[in-house]
Amino acid sequence: AEMYVRLSRHRTYEHVGGFIWTWSRLLSRELFSEHGIWIHSRLAVAMAGQILSFVVFIMIILYGTNDLANEADSNIRKIEASETPGDAKNFALWVMPTGQMIRQSSYTGLAVATTVG
């Protein structure tokens, strides 16, 4: 979000705009009384719904990643305990990602996607 500088009546500059600035002014009701910006209730509910659905989506991704990582660790233990000949077992262990690898890549990707997008 772009931040704009506004010159107030007292010749001081104020940074306006942005996500946190807008929500703090919206919740304190200064957005309409000071700046004359009216947000319809449907739009406010839609914005709150987007934030709530984003949080729920993140929680689903985190739990899904954890389950997938636990399953990968379980499969690695099964491969290690199997009676498969050495080269096939080593190849299977080489291509199978560990739970730690899955968690790190997923959490890093989620953090970057959340920050960028």
Side-chain angles (χ1 to χ4, degrees):
E2 244 180 85
M3 301 286 282
Y4 294 100
V5 178
R6 179 175 68 101
L7 182 63
S8 69
R9 287 179 237 135
H10 306 290
R11 293 283 183 197
T12 58
Y13 291 97
E14 175 186 3
H15 289 282
V16 296
F19 183 78
I20 295 176
W21 181 89
T22 303
W23 273 99
S24 65
R25 296 299 191 278
L26 181 66
L27 295 175
S28 68
R29 299 184 181 176
E30 293 176 6
L31 198 61
F32 178 69
S33 62
E34 280 188 26
H35 303 284
I37 299 172
W38 175 259
I39 297 194
H40 293 282
S41 60
R42 289 182 184 175
L43 183 60
V45 168
M47 288 189 304
Q50 284 179 334
I51 292 172
L52 181 64
S53 63
F54 177 71
V55 169
V56 168
F57 179 72
I58 295 297
M59 296 298 288
I60 290 170
I61 294 289
L62 292 177
Y63 284 122
T65 297
N66 196 35
D67 288 344
L68 183 64
N70 290 338
E71 185 69 27
D73 286 336
S74 173
N75 287 338
I76 286 174
R77 285 190 295 276
K78 286 178 188 175
I79 292 171
E80 288 173 341
S82 71
E83 299 294 326
T84 309
D87 288 339
K89 182 189 288 188
N90 289 337
F91 180 73
L93 290 172
W94 182 67
V95 292
M96 177 72 75
T98 64
Q100 181 182 4
M101 292 167 63
I102 293 172
R103 284 184 189 95
Q104 286 177 345
S105 62
S106 178
Y107 296 159
T108 303
L110 187 62
V112 169
T114 301
T115 304
V116 172

